[in-house]
Amino acid sequence: MRPLPTHARELARLTPRERALFFDSLDADELESLKTLWPFWARPEQLIPEGDWVYWLPLAGRGWGKTRVGAETVRQWAREFGMVNLIGATADDVRDVMVEGESGVLASCPRDERPRYVAHRRRLEWPNGAKSLLFSAEEPERLRGKQHQKLWCDEIAAWRYPEAWDQALFGLRLGTKPQAILTTTPRPTKLMRDLLADPLTHSTRHSTFENIGNLAENFLDRVVRKYEGTRLGRQELHAEMLLDVPGALWTRALLEQAQIGYPPPRPEESVQQASRSPHPEEPPQAASRRTRTQLTRIVVAIDPPATSGENADECGMVVAGLDETRNVHILADLSRQGETPLGWATRAVEAFRNFEADCIVAEVNNGGEMIETLLRQIDANIPYRAVRASRGKFARAEPVAALYEQGRVKHCGVFAKLEDQMCAMTPDFDRTRTGYSPDRVDALVWAVTALALSQESGGAVFEFYRTLAGEQSGVG
Ligand SMILES: Nc1ncnc2c1ncn2[C@@H]1O[C@H](COP(=O)(O)OP(=O)(O)O)[C@@H](O)[C@H]1O
Ligand SMILES: [Mg+2]
């Protein structure tokens, strides 16, 4: 028999019989520790690179092993350094992916090396005394004044507030060699461009297919086959930075211009500033940095999928508000895939309440009367407006894009997936070629149209909301 494999790639070359013999030669404890022996499994480019880099930026397609590599890097760093912190796109991502996920820190560590997850203090406590503080990029304020010796940032191209990265950078200064690993599927954002141009960055690029042998069949179906051969697939699977699509209604530059920080408040809030936030995603401290602009009208727009279940289209759901100067502010993209109708309807009503919205707007071409029935089951008095698509998606979106060009629409933070769809919106948009339907854009278009372009009131924008709210619920 050949010598025992010292790396997974040798294991892969063995015949099934030889492999079985190898596993038989290990006792239960050895088998257990082999599972978490990262140097055995890792491909060379998944191990911490040598050199004087400050930012290690493995740009990779979905499923390549970004999260696993981040978690394993944290695990290795925590053996030597006292303060190895984590930042994820949202608090849920930090908990569900980076800490408790299948490729997260807890799953990557063998029992005797596994840190204690102290959720209420948002930290990991390692057996050797090292600590990992946990942060969400949606709360840049929490990062203020925090210092890091080593740092892992996951999916940094999808962070809502670029300010979180600025705060992280200020704090990356403990010890003699502060370093950060930034794992992400790339998007052509300013932050990505800056990082790639920085001489302190060590960047590598990898495709999903390098890890194909370790991916579940379900993932291959849901992600790989769906995106393969499509334009978005070049980004999502091959980690390419996509350039603007010729003929698309929006460009990256146009969206960058639209970007502002936190959402403006409703009038009544400015009185009791900072005391509470109606926006569930917004850090409470955000109020202190608000401008004098206020939102006078808020809508939740939904573009419901025709079917439900795992393979159904996404339910597009966008919340937007109008300020006193008649600029539109995009407040949230709550679109989600794979829900039941009752699921998305419930979330729409929740969003209506959380954002203190004035109305829910929904496209009814697909669901007809069902939508109103659903919404009213949850809240009988909800102000609701059905909209019907008489023109094509592109024609509907054009006047909305024109408002962006006039600088009249603001994005309160970065909405990664929504913006990807916007920048791919061409007159010949074809879902069989792109692999998705632009449901997020549809919801956005309905929201902006309702707030700033509605014909319903004979040109007097919003009158119909006042009427509607008065008619249906007495809210006005
Ligand atoms: N070298 C490897 N050997 C074995 N499994 C791996 C390797 N790299 C990644 N994986 C596994 O592949 C799956 C996808 O990895 P994950 O880190 O979640 O991908 P990403 O974050 O890039 O989407 C996980 O189950 C992970 O543990
Ligand atoms: Mg990941």
Side-chain angles (χ1 to χ4, degrees), residues 91-410:
D92 284 358
D93 290 337
V94 176
R95 187 192 58 227
D96 301 342
V97 179
M98 300 172 77
V99 175
E100 295 188 322
E102 59 143 3
S103 13
V105 173
L106 300 184
S108 301
C109 291
R111 206 167 299 123
D112 57 346
E113 207 185 328
R114 194 172 298 153
R116 200 160 73 91
Y117 176 27
V118 191
H120 69 281
R121 302 190 65 184
R122 304 203 222 186
R123 60 153 79 171
L124 301 174
E125 294 172 356
W126 296 80
N128 68 356
K131 284 187 185 56
S132 295
L133 307 183
L134 311 174
F135 298 97
S136 151
E138 287 190 330
E139 299 173 300
E141 301 290 336
R142 270 198 70 236
L143 277 156
R144 194 176 286 270
K146 296 296 188 319
Q147 301 201 9
H148 328 282
Q149 207 165 0
K150 304 279 174 184
L151 194 56
W152 169 30
C153 303
D154 198 28
E155 292 303 342
I156 193 170
W159 286 12
R160 170 115 185 232
Y161 300 114
E163 194 190 342
W165 173 244
D166 300 335
Q167 291 297 345
L169 265 191
F170 289 138
L172 188 60
R173 58 174 177 220
L174 276 184
T176 51
K177 199 178 180 188
Q179 286 179 313
I181 172 170
L182 318 170
T183 46
T184 195
T185 297
R187 295 179 60 256
T189 59
K190 181 167 183 311
L191 174 55
M192 284 287 104
R193 289 198 304 273
D194 290 350
L195 278 168
L196 284 169
D198 194 322
L200 300 175
T201 302
H202 173 84
S203 145
T204 50
R205 196 179 301 270
H206 310 280
S207 118
T208 303
F209 293 93
E210 294 167 26
N211 196 43
I212 202 97
N214 296 314
L215 295 174
E217 189 54 35
N218 168 288
F219 184 87
L220 297 179
D221 260 342
R222 239 178 348 101
V223 180
V224 180
R225 284 175 202 130
K226 179 173 157 209
Y227 286 112
E228 207 174 349
T230 69
R231 182 173 182 280
L232 202 56
R234 285 165 44 204
Q235 171 178 296
E236 298 295 313
L237 303 177
H238 297 281
E240 263 183 59
M241 286 269 236
L242 297 180
L243 298 173
D244 283 332
V245 188
L249 278 176
W250 288 272
T251 61
R252 298 286 171 182
L254 186 59
L255 293 182
E256 263 165 38
Q257 275 169 29
Q259 248 148 45
I260 56 167
Y262 303 112
R266 299 279 269 190
E268 65 273 16
E269 272 169 67
S270 51
V271 183
Q272 29 167 322
Q273 279 232 347
S275 58
R276 111 208 118 94
S277 161
H279 309 301
E281 298 156 289
E282 178 193 7
Q285 299 92 325
S288 60
R289 46 187 59 236
R290 284 168 175 169
T291 58
R292 257 169 300 145
T293 325
Q294 298 179 337
L295 297 180
T296 53
R297 290 271 134 185
I298 294 179
V299 296
V300 178
I302 41 186
D303 175 42
T307 52
S308 65
E310 231 181 79
N311 292 317
D313 285 342
E314 231 162 13
C315 176
M317 193 181 300
V318 166
V319 187
L322 193 82
D323 71 21
E324 296 154 319
T325 61
R326 302 214 155 172
N327 286 332
V328 177
H329 296 252
I330 307 305
L331 303 175
D333 171 16
L334 306 173
S335 309
R336 199 183 283 173
Q337 202 259 336
E339 280 177 317
T340 60
L342 193 62
W344 53 252
T346 305
R347 283 199 311 115
V349 173
E350 274 168 22
F352 172 85
R353 291 179 186 146
N354 288 339
F355 286 87
E356 298 177 6
D358 300 277
C359 187
I360 294 183
V361 179
E363 179 178 343
V364 295
N365 293 39
N366 293 330
E369 277 59 59
M370 182 193 74
I371 297 168
E372 180 162 7
T373 314
L374 270 171
L375 292 172
R376 298 230 181 277
Q377 252 174 42
I378 303 160
D379 181 341
N381 292 321
I382 201 120
Y384 164 74
R385 175 90 194 168
V387 287
R388 243 163 269 273
S390 53
R391 294 177 295 165
K393 284 180 197 300
F394 187 86
R396 275 199 316 267
E398 268 181 315
V400 172
L403 284 184
Y404 277 78
E405 271 156 27
Q406 294 162 5
R408 289 190 47 210
V409 187
K410 312 286 177 201

Side-chain angles (χ1 to χ4, degrees), residues 5 7-16 19 40:
H7 192 275
R9 82 177 79 79
E10 295 165 23
L11 192 63
R13 281 191 216 114
L14 299 182
T15 64
R19 252 201 305 274
F40 181 89

